[in-house]
Amino acid sequence: MLMAGAWIMLPAVLLIGGLIGASGIGGVLLVPVLTNFGAVSLPQAIAAASLGFALPALVALKPMLRQRELVIRCIPLLIGALVGAVVGALTVHWLSARTLMMGVMLLVLFAGWRGLQSPAIAAKPADPLNIPVLFVMGVLVGCGSALTGTGGPVLIIPLLMLMHQPVSFAIVAAQAIQLPVALASSAVHALEGRLDFRLALIGGLLMLIGAFFGQRAAAGLDVRQLQRMVSIVLLAVGGWFAWVLLA
């Protein structure tokens, strides 16, 4: 990592943590920040990001303990993510990361646009998803996250919002899903010699601090404000992806 870019990279990682705590999204920016400002190679950036996301995921424990029903609802999602992350980390060299990121960009932009166009989704959520659907969704998100180093939230939040699930559940699920994805994918990366533990620890600690303050900042928002904020962040992330992919 080049220290010349640290004065930009370190505050950026802290801000990423704040976005994770406030909206569940933000980790998707970590790999581009590490590669562009820290001169970290793409495989090492994906590996470090995978483990680093484990620390801000701890911020989700407090709201989950306050709402125990969310814990039960998240279990099949988290189990599926654990399976998917292993598969994704093992096959990361077989698929085009650019193609995967293009798909993520389109999903994120569409979900953000729809969230702003349809405020009634937050007020009238659909029925809770059943266990098999949550498990399959977890597998897909875990696999996609491990392949792209995005952590999980940027995939699970738009999917849950498009399926008219409550935005409060989407955010908690997004924060919680980072832990199984991080543990499974980083274990594979470590076995294959791609994981820089020091870089992962620094990034994880900065994101943890940012996530704590981000969660507190978002605590006073009502459901409609929260959905609008998440939708705007999705659009911003989609725009960032478009810039990175097309530059």
Side-chain angles (χ1 to χ4, degrees):
M1 183 176 64
L2 295 179
M3 295 309 296
W7 68 276
I8 297 177
M9 189 187 71
L10 297 181
V13 175
L14 190 64
L15 177 60
I16 288 169
L19 291 173
I20 292 173
S23 65
I25 307 168
V28 65
L29 303 174
L30 183 58
V31 169
V33 164
L34 291 177
T35 54
N36 287 308
F37 300 126
V40 180
S41 67
L42 182 60
Q44 282 190 321
I46 291 176
S50 297
L51 181 57
F53 290 135
L55 291 182
L58 298 176
V59 176
L61 295 178
K62 186 176 180 179
M64 289 182 74
L65 290 175
R66 291 200 307 263
Q67 304 178 65
R68 294 185 181 276
E69 70 278 5
L70 292 182
V71 178
I72 298 174
R73 289 183 61 190
C74 284
I75 288 175
L77 189 68
L78 302 184
I79 295 174
L82 185 65
V83 175
V86 172
V87 174
L90 288 172
T91 58
V92 68
H93 297 302
W94 296 358
L95 299 175
S96 168
R98 185 179 180 85
T99 301
L100 290 168
M101 297 297 272
M102 185 69 72
V104 173
M105 180 194 73
L106 295 175
L107 173 64
V108 166
L109 287 174
F110 179 72
W113 172 80
R114 182 168 179 177
L116 291 178
Q117 296 295 317
S118 307
I121 293 177
K124 298 180 180 179
D127 293 334
L129 300 175
N130 58 40
I131 291 177
V133 171
L134 287 172
F135 176 79
V136 172
M137 187 179 294
V139 172
L140 294 176
V141 170
C143 186
S145 301
L147 287 170
T148 58
T150 53
V154 75
L155 295 176
I156 193 61
I157 283 185
L159 286 175
L160 290 174
M161 289 180 65
L162 290 175
M163 300 183 79
H164 296 196
Q165 295 302 295
V167 69
S168 57
F169 171 66
I171 290 177
V172 171
Q175 292 172 332
I177 205 171
Q178 294 175 104
L179 192 56
V181 169
L183 296 178
S185 59
S186 60
V188 175
H189 289 308
L191 290 174
E192 296 191 357
R194 293 190 297 267
L195 183 57
D196 184 334
F197 285 96
R198 185 179 66 174
L199 180 61
L201 180 60
I202 293 172
L205 287 173
L206 287 172
M207 288 190 292
L208 176 62
I209 295 170
F212 174 77
F213 288 103
Q215 187 181 79
R216 291 175 66 89
L221 300 178
D222 61 28
V223 175
R224 288 176 182 262
Q225 290 174 321
L226 194 59
Q227 178 171 329
R228 182 175 179 82
M229 180 189 69
V230 170
S231 299
I232 291 173
V233 173
L234 284 170
L235 290 174
V237 168
W240 166 268
F241 264 47
W243 181 79
V244 170
L245 290 171
L246 301 177

